[in-house]
Amino acid sequence: HVIGLGVSEQAVLTANAMQALDRSQIIIGCPRQLDTVSTYLDNDSDFTAEPRLIELPKFNELKVLLTELSDQQANDLQISILASGDPLYFGIGRWLSKNIDTSELYFYPGVSSIQAACHKLRLSLQDCDAISLHGRPVETLRSLIRHNQTLVILTDQHSHPKRLAQECFELGYHAARITVCEDLGYEKERVRSFTIAELVEENKLIFSQLQVTVIETGISQLMPQFPGFNDELFITGKEAGKGLITKREVRLAVLSLLQPSRGDVAWDVGAGCGGIAVEWAYWNKQGQVLAIEHNDQRFACLQQNSQRFGVVDNLKAIQGRAPAVLDTLPQANKVFIGGSDGEMSELLAFCWMQLPEHGVLVVSAVMETTKQQLLTFRDELLMVGSAVIETSQVAISRGEELAGQLVYRPNLPVTLFRFEKALDCEKKEL
């Protein structure tokens, strides 16, 4: 029985939650949560026996604890786990639902600290974007922040207001305002609002660890707001916009062919400095991108770009040579091959074999030998009727000045192939 305590020094419980607590032989919670219900436990006369109080362990230990308790006790053992606010809104409920039979779980929501902060500041929750940086890298903020946005953030000791202000400053949100709601529901509750400059420059400000931070972002001239990052934003080890990076127009075409979606497990093979992988992960936070690159310098740029754009949660950079390193990776349902280092035939065979039905393989080619290998692969798939195939050629010319006049300089055309695995399908090519 997972019980949300609300936002208060003392538990704010519904009748059903109180009944669940009354019938529990074991109550698990962090020290603050156990203190929150202590007055209720001391004054309640409905307990048939004094419940056993256990301090909440780390998640990897919690599953073991729950299993041991169930094995040691009778089948009618009832356990209550205390949660802050709403257990299923950035709370422990999600972890429990993934690790315990849901038929054994019962939830009792309370008001969340995010709700309490919005009410305190007279903000409509549907007009805000709520995120959690609790236990996550602060750089994650970079992939979530947008223009003219109200962000309501659950924080930890690493994502304190000064650090968040520093992130906003580096991302170009110099006009943003940060409001810190501390100790909501407690007698010492405090709400303070700051400019970015005030937080960045002031070193003496102290904040409670029990807080919700609200950022009203304003506008940045640096960070992208829509697919198609400027090439100059990427670190390549070369002049801005140069180096081994898939150019913006081609990148958009590739992402369109891949159609990133929730739950994808994606490979970017020959990721270079990360143009495709970074933007793939940036716009699809509910997917996982594995970027494979063997060159030391390009791999370093890939890691730096991952940090720069904040895709540290759902992009994993892997240094190694494909296809050998692919054997160690989880199965992908979307694959992009941007570089093969002479191993294109082997890569095509390996990546296609491991794709599930309706999986997608997208490949780019500039050199004629690579195109010929792709044409051969296309012919083989058409012969057996196991794929839906789409191909196009992208030729881009960009405007530059020459002797004070506008000229368009062409980039090398890039040929794109998209193969979708469709077992026993009719032979079809688009």
Side-chain angles (χ1 to χ4, degrees):
H1 295 258
V2 190
I3 299 173
L5 302 178
V7 181
S8 177
E9 288 193 65
Q10 296 184 359
V12 180
L13 303 176
T14 64
N16 287 338
M18 287 191 288
Q19 187 178 64
L21 206 58
D22 290 341
R23 294 176 177 175
S24 295
Q25 293 88 44
I26 294 174
I27 300 174
I28 301 173
C30 70
R32 179 178 60 83
Q33 292 165 341
L34 294 173
D35 287 343
T36 301
V37 299
S38 60
T39 302
Y40 170 74
L41 296 175
D42 292 340
N43 296 334
D44 187 50
S45 59
D46 292 333
F47 285 111
T48 54
E50 186 73 20
R52 178 185 172 191
L53 304 182
I54 299 177
E55 187 171 327
L56 182 71
K58 295 180 179 179
F59 281 160
N60 60 342
E61 300 169 1
L62 179 57
K63 189 171 183 179
V64 175
L65 172 64
L66 294 175
T67 300
E68 290 176 349
L69 290 172
S70 297
D71 291 342
Q72 294 169 6
Q73 304 289 332
N75 291 332
D76 60 352
L77 172 70
Q78 182 160 313
I79 299 172
S80 280
I81 297 179
L82 305 180
S84 298
D86 184 343
L88 287 169
Y89 193 51
F90 295 110
I92 194 173
R94 183 184 188 188
W95 182 90
L96 289 168
S97 295
K98 288 184 175 182
N99 289 275
I100 295 177
D101 183 354
T102 53
S103 66
E104 298 178 359
L105 288 172
Y106 304 87
F107 292 98
Y108 308 85
V111 173
S112 73
S113 56
I114 288 175
Q115 288 175 290
C118 285
H119 281 264
K120 181 66 64 175
L121 301 176
R122 301 172 184 84
L123 297 172
S124 294
L125 190 53
Q126 69 265 27
D127 295 329
C128 304
D129 293 308
I131 66 171
S132 176
L133 294 179
H134 194 274
R136 302 173 68 189
V138 181
E139 291 83 2
T140 305
L141 178 69
R142 300 182 176 205
S143 68
L144 301 170
I145 196 167
R146 300 288 184 270
H147 287 183
N148 296 319
Q149 178 189 39
T150 301
L151 270 170
V152 187
I153 307 173
L154 295 175
T155 61
D156 61 15
Q157 69 271 25
H158 303 294
S159 49
H160 50 80
K162 185 175 176 65
R163 177 64 193 279
L164 296 179
Q166 187 65 46
E167 287 291 315
C168 289
F169 183 82
E170 292 178 6
L171 297 174
Y173 290 98
H174 299 161
R177 289 195 67 83
I178 291 183
T179 302
V180 186
C181 303
E182 304 171 78
D183 298 307
L184 289 171
Y186 286 69
E187 186 176 343
K188 56 183 178 178
E189 174 181 292
R190 182 166 59 171
V191 177
R192 292 182 285 172
S193 187
F194 306 90
T195 66
I196 294 299
E198 286 172 336
L199 283 173
V200 169
E201 295 169 4
E202 177 57 67
N203 293 318
K204 297 181 180 179
L205 289 169
I206 298 175
F207 298 94
S208 168
Q209 290 192 3
L210 191 62
Q211 58 160 276
V212 176
T213 299
V214 178
I215 303 178
E216 296 169 283
T217 62
I219 293 176
S220 166
Q221 299 302 319
L222 298 180
M223 294 303 290
Q225 304 300 312
F226 194 79
F229 296 175
N230 286 332
D231 298 338
E232 289 78 8
L233 291 175
F234 289 97
I235 298 167
T236 64
K238 307 289 183 182
E239 180 187 346
K242 308 297 183 181
L244 194 63
I245 195 86
T246 303
K247 299 301 185 282
R248 175 171 57 183
E249 297 85 355
V250 176
R251 197 181 326 126
L252 281 169
V254 169
L255 292 172
S256 176
L257 292 174
L258 287 166
Q259 289 294 298
S261 57
R262 179 185 290 264
D264 281 347
V265 176
W267 295 351
D268 181 355
V269 183
C273 298
I276 295 290
V278 166
E279 190 151 2
W280 197 349
Y282 189 92
W283 298 114
N284 185 26
K285 298 174 184 60
Q286 303 301 323
Q288 184 72 24
V289 178
L290 306 172
I292 300 95
E293 175 57 49
H294 73 88
N295 179 274
D296 290 340
Q297 183 179 1
R298 294 195 291 268
F299 185 76
C301 291
L302 168 63
Q303 292 180 305
Q304 291 175 66
N305 286 318
S306 173
Q307 289 285 329
R308 167 171 281 197
F309 291 97
V311 287
V312 290
D313 267 357
N314 65 330
L315 189 154
K316 182 178 181 182
I318 299 165
Q319 188 167 21
R321 187 177 294 275
V325 73
L326 302 180
D327 265 330
T328 66
L329 305 184
Q331 182 185 23
N333 68 309
K334 303 275 178 71
V335 177
F336 172 64
I337 301 176
S340 64
D341 202 20
E343 305 285 346
M344 181 59 77
S345 296
E346 292 81 359
L347 277 175
L348 290 170
F350 186 96
C351 293
W352 183 252
M353 179 183 65
Q354 68 84 47
L355 279 178
E357 187 171 9
H358 302 300
V360 171
L361 170 62
V362 175
V363 191
S364 66
V366 175
M367 304 301 181
E368 290 301 320
T369 52
T370 308
K371 293 179 192 175
Q372 289 304 314
Q373 290 173 306
L374 286 166
L375 287 170
T376 300
F377 184 67
R378 160 192 168 273
D379 291 342
E380 292 171 352
L381 294 181
L382 286 174
M383 188 177 301
V384 297
S386 62
V388 177
I389 302 172
E390 179 179 351
T391 183
S392 59
Q393 194 169 75
V394 182
I396 300 297
S397 296
R398 289 184 171 179
E400 296 180 3
E401 279 200 3
L402 178 63
Q405 299 293 317
L406 175 65
V407 296
Y408 287 90
R409 293 193 184 278
N411 291 328
L412 289 173
V414 179
T415 303
L416 300 176
F417 281 83
R418 180 185 189 272
F419 307 97
E420 179 180 347
K421 184 174 281 191
L423 303 180
D424 301 321
C425 74
E426 296 180 5
K427 296 178 183 179
K428 183 178 179 183
E429 183 171 10
L430 300 175

